[in-house]
């Protein structure tokens, strides 16, 4: 395994310390990160494309530390995207819902940022409830096309409000992570694909459409899909999806290292876009800070906030505005997302 992630030649080598650390650690045999293409898979052409480390139980037990630390995602930048989404809602009848002009404007905002950063973007149209819906995908050029790591968030709001926590938060967090990949000139081993889904609020329709249109050969290249739906709840909890223990561990380890306790996400399994992927056998994971469920006394003890109150009292309501966010939760989750992309996508 000679190839570890390197920087694009056009970008200055800002992390020579990290590279030296990798070299030293590898020489010392200290790092056994995720191996994307195992020697066995390379030797045997019959091995299926999906036989990557994500589906390799031996690899699952290896440490997941990446020697290339993810950058600190800027809360200010994430909030700047959220302010834009709030303005889009305010200028378009107060929402960014499927079939409404605020949704299309949201797609256009995200797409322009990604195009300017060097992503290959595509808008996929579909029809739902008699209206045109849109999914947006953004592929980062490079990486092994046989091993795709995806991260996604639904971009539509309900009709009732601007949908800033649900799910401007996940949408902005993965956008800023994608922009960080570009700024850092990351050359991950995995091929990275980010996605913004339409019509989630109508029953995960956009992501279901995407998966249904994916040829099985393309499906089998997706090693994991990471979902971020509501990551800035005003009275937050720190919930990690437990669908795949390797992906779950990457998130849990990040929070544990910061001294933040996590719980397994249980507020409605299958209630977001990861279900579209999980239903066809793709490995999934994700983060969540809570919706309409009430924070218990024990949870308020460890996480702060208000016991006896919903994690998000404005869930699916008009008051899910730019004020309906916990900045600390939004910042932590954004940083955890970047950590997962760097660790799973650009392993040492
Ligand atoms: N957008 C989701 C919904 O409206 C929010 C949600 C509820 C959620 N429960 C969840 C997201 C559990 C992830 C996991 O249903
Ligand atoms: Ca940060
Ligand atoms: Zn919702």
């Amino acid at each position: 395994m000679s190839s570890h992630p390197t920087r694009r030649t056009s970008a200055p080598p800002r992390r020579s310390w990290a590279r030296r650390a990798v070299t030293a650690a590898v020489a010392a045999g200290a790092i056994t990160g995720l191996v994307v293409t195992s020697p066995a898979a390379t030797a045997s052409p019959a091995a299926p494309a999906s036989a990557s480390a994500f589906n390799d139980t031996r690899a699952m037990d290896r440490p997941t530390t990446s020697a290339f630390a993810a950058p600190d995602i800027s809360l200010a930048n994430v909030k700047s995207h959220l302010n834009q989404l709030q303005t889009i809602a305010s200028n378009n009848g107060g929402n960014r819902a499927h079939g409404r002009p605020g949704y299309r404007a949201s797609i256009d905002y995200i797409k322009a940022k990604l195009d300017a950063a060097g992503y290959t973007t595509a808008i996929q149209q579909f029809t739902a409830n008699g209206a045109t819906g849109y999914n947006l995908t953004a592929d980062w050029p490079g990486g092994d096309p046989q091993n795709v790591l995806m991260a996604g968030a639904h971009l539509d709001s309900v009709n009732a409000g601007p949908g800033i926590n649900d799910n401007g938060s996940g949408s902005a967090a993965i956008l800023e992570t994608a922009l960080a990949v570009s700024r850092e000139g990351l050359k991950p081993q995995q091929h990275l694909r980010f996605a913004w889904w339409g019509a989630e609020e109508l029953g995960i329709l956009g992501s279901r459409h995407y998966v249904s249109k994916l040829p099985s050969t393309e499906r089998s290249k997706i090693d994991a899909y990471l979902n971020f739906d509501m990551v800035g709840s005003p009275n937050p909890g720190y919930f990690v999806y437990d669908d795949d223990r390797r992906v779950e561990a990457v998130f849990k380890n990040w929070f544990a290292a910061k001294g933040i306790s996590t719980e397994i996400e249980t507020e409605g399994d299958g209630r977001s876009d990861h279900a579209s992927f999980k239903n066809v056998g793709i490995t999934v994971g994700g983060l969540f800070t809570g919706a309409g469920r009430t924070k218990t006394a024990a949870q308020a003890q460890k996480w702060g906030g208000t016991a006896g109150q919903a994690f998000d009292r404005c869930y699916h309501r008009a008051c899910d505005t730019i004020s309906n966010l916990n900045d600390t939760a939004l910042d932590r989750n954004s940083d955890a997302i970047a950590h997962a992309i760097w660790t799973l996508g650009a392993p040492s």
Side-chain angles (χ1 to χ4, degrees):
M1 217 252 313
S2 61
S3 65
H4 41 254
T6 53
R7 281 161 208 283
R8 318 194 100 189
T9 46
S10 56
R14 272 174 285 170
R15 298 262 183 99
S16 52
W17 62 267
R19 193 180 303 275
R20 280 194 303 276
V22 172
T23 309
V26 168
I31 294 182
T32 50
L34 171 59
V35 180
V36 173
T37 306
S38 71
T42 309
S44 161
S50 60
S52 75
F54 285 97
N55 304 316
D56 178 340
T57 49
R58 291 161 306 154
M60 287 170 83
D61 294 322
R62 291 182 193 129
T64 54
T65 313
S66 173
F68 285 86
D72 184 341
I73 298 299
S74 155
L75 174 65
N77 288 0
V78 174
K79 291 206 78 172
S80 151
H81 303 314
L82 288 167
N83 270 298
Q84 294 300 316
L85 294 177
Q86 174 67 68
T87 299
I88 286 167
S90 302
N91 291 343
N92 288 281
N95 67 63
R96 303 181 302 99
H98 168 73
R100 307 290 188 91
Y103 183 70
R104 180 64 212 223
S106 300
I107 285 278
D108 292 344
Y109 171 76
I110 306 267
K111 182 177 183 296
K113 293 282 179 194
L114 295 160
D115 286 337
Y119 278 83
T120 304
T121 59
I123 289 179
Q124 179 184 47
Q125 283 195 27
F126 58 91
T127 303
N129 279 14
T132 301
Y134 307 95
N135 293 323
L136 170 67
T137 55
D139 284 74
W140 182 235
D144 180 353
Q146 298 299 326
N147 289 285
V148 179
L149 174 63
M150 282 191 76
H154 79 83
L155 186 57
D156 64 313
S157 72
V158 291
N159 291 327
I164 296 303
N165 184 38
D166 180 15
N167 183 33
S169 63
S171 294
I174 67 166
L175 172 60
E176 193 52 31
T177 300
L179 298 180
V181 165
S182 168
R183 269 184 222 116
E184 299 262 319
L186 193 71
K187 285 199 165 190
Q189 289 179 354
Q190 302 261 322
H191 177 78
L192 303 182
R193 180 178 303 145
F194 296 87
W196 289 261
W197 309 119
E200 186 272 354
E201 298 292 4
L202 277 54
I204 63 171
L205 300 184
S207 57
R208 258 176 42 193
H209 179 84
Y210 175 82
V211 169
S212 77
K213 291 287 176 195
L214 261 190
S216 61
T217 49
E218 291 302 315
R219 269 187 208 175
S220 66
K221 294 175 186 170
I222 302 172
D223 288 333
Y225 169 75
L226 310 179
N227 193 59
F228 304 101
D229 184 0
M230 304 181 75
V231 293
S233 303
N235 186 27
Y238 293 93
F239 299 102
V240 179
Y241 299 7
D242 72 341
D243 302 271
D244 176 81
R245 73 187 174 93
R246 198 187 115 74
V247 175
E248 181 186 6
V250 169
F251 287 122
K252 282 171 72 171
N253 291 345
W254 185 89
F255 283 98
K258 298 266 184 297
I260 303 156
S261 6
T262 56
E263 288 184 15
I264 291 168
E265 190 287 301
T266 60
E267 192 176 353
D269 215 10
R271 276 179 66 182
S272 191
D273 298 294
H274 57 296
S276 303
F277 290 82
K278 189 175 177 175
N279 286 343
V280 298
I282 295 170
T283 295
V284 302
L287 298 173
F288 178 56
T289 51
R293 196 179 272 181
T294 302
K295 185 180 272 190
T296 67
Q299 289 170 330
Q301 191 83 43
K302 61 182 176 183
W303 290 327
T306 311
Q309 238 175 49
F311 293 106
D312 183 355
R313 288 196 289 177
C314 290
Y315 174 57
H316 285 185
R317 296 176 58 198
C319 58
D320 186 8
T321 66
I322 194 68
S323 312
N324 189 45
L325 294 167
N326 179 284
D327 283 356
T328 301
L330 184 61
D331 191 21
R332 287 171 170 174
N333 279 289
S334 300
D335 292 342
I337 292 167
H339 169 73
I341 296 295
W342 259 251
T343 305
L344 296 170
S348 55

